Amino acid sequence: MSGEKLNSQERIIAEIFAMCDNHIAGMTNKELAEKVETTATNVCRDLAIFEKFGLADRDTKGRWRLSPKFGGFAGQIAKSYQKARLLLSEEESRYMSAMQ
C-alpha cells in the first residue's frame, strides 16, 4: 500500500484487491493484514462481514479467498449488458417497422 492510513471502507476495497491478486493461493489473516497495512483484528472483523454476505470463504487449507458468489458479479453485469442490447434491438425493430 502507500503507507497512508485507510478508513474502514477503503480498507475493505484494498482487501478485495489483495484477495483478487492472491486468489489461487488464498491469504491468511496475517498476510492480508500485512498487505493492507492494518491490524489482524481489523482483518478478522472485515472477513466476518465478507463471510456473512457470502463474499469470501476459506479454501481447504483454511486460507481466505473471494467466493464464487463474489466472482458471479461479473456475470451478472455481463447479463445486464446483454439484456440492454436485446431491449435496444427490439426497440429499434419496432421503430423501423413503424416507419415503413
Side-chain angles (χ1 to χ4, degrees):
M1 297 298 315
S2 64
E4 82 179 58
K5 183 168 171 40
L6 302 175
N7 66 39
S8 59
Q9 294 86 359
E10 293 169 326
R11 187 180 66 241
I12 286 175
I13 298 299
E15 290 166 353
I16 290 170
F17 286 135
M19 285 192 284
C20 282
D21 290 344
N22 296 281
H23 182 76
I24 299 302
M27 297 186 82
T28 65
N29 289 28
K30 182 180 178 186
E31 291 168 340
L32 193 51
E34 289 172 357
K35 182 73 174 177
V36 300
E37 299 175 358
T38 191
T39 66
T41 302
N42 282 340
V43 167
C44 186
R45 186 181 312 116
D46 296 342
L47 289 171
I49 294 168
F50 279 106
E51 190 172 38
K52 176 181 177 180
F53 288 95
L55 301 178
D57 53 26
R58 293 177 187 261
D59 65 14
T60 57
K61 296 178 184 174
R63 297 170 67 85
W64 288 99
R65 60 183 181 186
L66 296 171
S67 70
K69 180 179 180 179
F70 188 95
F73 291 150
Q76 289 174 313
I77 292 167
K79 285 180 186 176
S80 294
Y81 278 112
Q82 291 169 348
K83 183 177 179 181
R85 276 193 301 274
L86 178 62
L87 292 173
L88 182 59
S89 178
E90 290 171 352
E91 183 66 26
E92 179 186 31
S93 292
R94 281 192 296 275
Y95 187 84
M96 298 303 282
S97 292
M99 286 178 34
Q100 296 175 3

